[in-house]
Amino acid sequence: MTDIRIAVAARKGGVGKTTIACGLASVLASQGRKVLVIDLDPQSNAAYVLGTNPTALGTAELLLGGSPEPLEADTFLHVFPGGPDLAGHNIQLLDPEDLADIIKPMAYDAFIFDCPPGVESLERLGLVAADVALVCTDAHPLAVMGAGRVLNELKLRQQKGRRGAKRWALALSRIDLRRSMDQALDQQLSNAYPSIKRLIVHQDSSLAWAAAERVPIMQYDANCKGAKDLKVIADWVLNG
């Protein structure tokens, strides 16, 4: 099985990026794929949400040449925690291709990079290591602006023939169609980015409860609305 590498990015915080990254990881693991989540966020939210120790050695040590052990969140689901050391000077000096090189010998079927908001050098490590990118946004104007910046970076890298994700989609997060702003978001993005696939994760309390109870969503409620949306995203990631 050829591995697939997925970056989940938003540029703005609080738009549901980690929920989508961890939910997608749970879906792929439930399908029997061996999945590694690499948390690039100094806040280490992915490790927390997946029920592992968010303060354990993880991504920073990996990037600096160490050999931390990935933490097991489920039978086929492992995670390298983020943490404040990702904000260190030595990490900021890394080449954008370093993460891609580091994970090359690792035996996983899927890698998911949970990119941080507001730290472009860390985000770039994930985007460059990825085959596919999910750019998350909700209906907030600043979230739409942040998504646009990520899309511009992806497009520029592709135009220059540089290493990195070759296809990407917008992931509309926490959508509640009873809200007028959410109703307008899809059309707004369709007008701005007519050729880019748009995927939707609806507002679903099960996703929030799974994160609060630190249980992967496919263990918590595999049939909830959010899990069904994430299965659609997984199908697009795997099959285009």
Side-chain angles (χ1 to χ4, degrees), residues 22-236:
C22 294
L24 178 61
S26 182
V27 169
L28 294 174
S30 75
Q31 296 170 347
R33 293 177 173 81
K34 190 176 179 184
V35 181
L36 177 62
V37 175
I38 298 181
D39 190 350
L40 289 162
D41 192 337
Q43 297 182 74
S44 201
N45 289 337
Y48 180 87
V49 164
L50 290 172
T52 61
N53 179 5
T55 65
L57 297 179
T59 306
E61 290 71 25
L62 181 73
L63 289 169
L64 293 175
S67 302
E69 287 293 324
L71 307 181
E72 182 176 294
D74 199 355
T75 304
F76 294 107
L77 176 52
H78 296 84
V79 58
F80 278 126
D85 288 347
L86 284 169
H89 182 65
N90 289 338
I91 298 286
Q92 305 302 316
L93 294 177
L94 292 172
D95 186 278
E97 298 192 3
D98 279 353
L99 176 59
D101 293 336
I102 289 169
I103 65 171
K104 194 178 296 182
M106 294 183 178
Y108 283 89
D109 302 314
F111 297 85
I112 296 180
F113 313 115
D114 187 22
C115 299
V119 187
E120 293 180 29
S121 60
L122 291 171
E123 179 190 84
R124 192 168 294 118
L125 288 169
L127 296 179
V128 171
D131 306 306
V132 179
L134 294 170
V135 182
C136 302
T137 184
D138 59 18
H140 195 287
L142 294 181
V144 175
M145 189 183 303
R149 288 172 175 159
V150 180
L151 292 172
N152 285 338
E153 167 120 12
L154 289 164
K155 184 179 177 182
L156 284 173
R157 293 198 68 83
Q158 189 176 65
Q159 287 175 340
K160 294 178 179 178
R162 291 179 177 169
R163 192 172 182 175
K166 295 295 184 287
R167 62 186 178 96
W168 47 83
L170 283 158
L172 284 59
S173 175
R174 300 184 300 197
I175 296 301
D176 183 344
L177 293 176
R178 294 170 297 181
R179 298 190 294 237
S180 59
M181 288 187 71
D182 289 17
Q183 292 172 14
L185 179 62
D186 187 58
Q187 188 60 53
Q188 178 186 357
L189 294 175
S190 173
N191 293 338
Y193 309 104
S195 62
I196 297 178
K197 178 73 173 178
R198 299 180 304 284
L199 302 158
I200 292 178
V201 178
H202 293 88
Q203 182 79 36
D204 183 359
S205 60
S206 291
L207 292 174
W209 276 112
E213 298 189 14
R214 308 182 66 198
V215 178
I217 188 62
M218 296 301 286
Q219 287 185 29
Y220 187 84
D221 186 352
N223 295 309
C224 69
K225 184 189 298 183
K228 291 176 181 175
D229 290 339
L230 289 161
K231 290 173 189 174
V232 173
I233 292 179
D235 182 65
W236 179 83

